[in-house]
Each structure stands twice: as C-alpha cells, then as structure tokens.
C-alpha cells in the first residue's frame, strides 16, 4: 500500500482527467508505441507507476499487450473502475518489483512516466538493470521525469505522497 497516494487518489484523478497535459507528452508516448511495434520484440509492456490508468488505457487502445502497475491500491482501484478492460496490478513500493507481474513473459517495453522520482537516486541504476535483465535485445524503455536546471544537488521532497527526488545531475542530464 502507498499511504501518500492512497490518501490523495481521488484528488489526483480530478486533477489529471486526461492522459496527457501537453502535445509533447502525447507524441512521446506515440513514439514509444511505434518503437515497441517496430522493434519486433514480443512480450509484455508495463506502464510503471500507472496511477489512475489513463496512459495505460491509451497503450491498450494502440494494441499494446500492457499492464499498468502502481504501489497505490487506491490509484489502481480508480484505474480498474475507469478502464475495466485494461489489467492493473498493485505492486510493492520497491521499483524493482514494478515489473514482477510479467515474470512469465519477456518485456517488450517499459514506460515509466514520472515514477522513478520516487526511487532514491542511488537506486535508479539497480532498478534499470532489473528491467534490462528481463528485456531481450531491442526492447524499449521510455522514461520521463522532472529535473531541475543547472545541475543542482539532489533535492528531496517529503510531502504527503511518498518521498521523491529531483535532479538533472543524478540522471546524467545537463541543465
């Protein structure tokens, strides 16, 4: 369970009724879909940190064999209610567990939009390695996250939601 997001799931759903806030987000996910299809890799696609499921539903509508995973039972409950024909699973809070539900399948793709911010920066390489171990050559991973400009030090935000981190430097980007 994820008490931070569980307690704000209804508010989150009201704030994010649409799958994308910008055309860039919509096009980026479209590129992910095209890349998975063009890769020729068969297997499960996992939407990591699927929240209330809007983007997972878009992936399903595009023909992806997708499952949404999220550690918040309340978020997954809303996703299941809004998108009854799309599979969603509640996972443990450890990001390495987020693709475990597809353990019987190779991973054709992993979409992680704004979910790795809940992973301490020093653990991100381990999470990515765990995904790579499950993905055959040619599989596709797309990450989206918030980052601060000018390479500032890692900033930890401890709010009612699970702790999250933000830094351009910790993800190897340049401001």
């Amino acid at each position: 369970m994820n008490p931070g997001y569980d307690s704000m799931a209804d508010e989150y759903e009201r704030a994010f009724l649409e799958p994308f806030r910008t055309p860039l987000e919509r096009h980026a996910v479209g590129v992910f879909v095209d890349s998975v299809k063009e890769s020729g890799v068969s297997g499960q696609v996992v939407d990591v940190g699927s929240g209330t499921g809007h983007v997972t539903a878009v992936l399903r509508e595009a023909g992806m064999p997708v499952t949404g995973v999220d550690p918040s039972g309340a978020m997954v409950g809303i996703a299941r209610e809004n998108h009854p024909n799309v599979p969603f699973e509640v996972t443990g809070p450890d990001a390495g567990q987020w693709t475990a539900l597809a353990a019987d399948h190779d991973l054709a793709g992993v979409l992680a939009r704004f979910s790795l911010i809940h992973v301490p920066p020093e653990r991100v390489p381990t999470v990515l390695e765990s995904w790579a171990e499950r993905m055959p050559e040619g599989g596709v991973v797309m990450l989206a996250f918030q980052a601060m400009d000018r390479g500032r030090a890692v900033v930890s935000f401890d709010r009612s939601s699970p702790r999250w981190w933000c830094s351009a430097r910790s993800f190897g980007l340049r401001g």
Side-chain angles (χ1 to χ4, degrees):
M1 293 295 280
N2 192 318
Y5 278 107
D6 282 347
S7 66
M8 60 189 243
D10 290 328
E11 179 183 341
Y12 185 96
E13 173 63 6
R14 285 190 298 275
F16 300 102
L17 293 173
E18 300 296 323
F20 309 109
R21 297 192 72 160
T22 68
L24 178 60
E25 288 180 331
R26 183 180 67 251
H27 290 296
V29 171
V31 168
F32 173 78
V33 168
D34 291 346
S35 297
V36 171
K37 288 180 177 180
E38 291 169 7
S39 75
V41 174
S42 62
Q44 183 74 26
V45 173
V46 179
D47 182 10
V48 174
S50 59
T52 57
H54 299 301
V55 174
T56 314
V58 168
L59 295 173
R60 180 66 146 207
E61 290 169 10
M64 299 279 94
V66 65
T67 299
V69 298
D70 199 282
S72 169
M75 297 285 256
V76 168
I78 291 170
R80 288 175 176 161
E81 183 177 319
N82 289 342
H83 311 286
N85 296 322
V86 179
F88 294 95
E89 298 292 333
V90 179
T91 64
D94 181 2
Q97 299 170 330
W98 294 343
T99 58
L101 71 106
D104 296 337
H105 306 281
D106 284 336
L107 293 176
V110 175
L111 178 65
R113 296 176 68 244
F114 311 110
S115 53
L116 288 180
I117 64 169
H118 298 295
V119 177
E122 65 275 7
R123 292 246 318 113
V124 170
T126 303
V127 170
L128 297 178
E129 288 169 9
S130 74
W131 297 350
E133 289 171 359
R134 303 266 323 289
M135 190 173 291
E137 186 175 332
V140 179
V141 174
M142 180 175 275
L143 308 174
F145 50 89
Q146 301 88 339
M148 300 174 80
D149 291 335
R150 297 184 205 111
R152 296 181 189 152
V154 173
V155 178
S156 175
F157 296 87
D158 190 8
R159 314 175 322 178
S160 63
S161 67
R163 179 167 241 158
W164 55 284
W165 291 263
C166 181
S167 170
R169 182 173 295 150
S170 67
F171 290 96
L173 301 177
R174 295 186 181 157

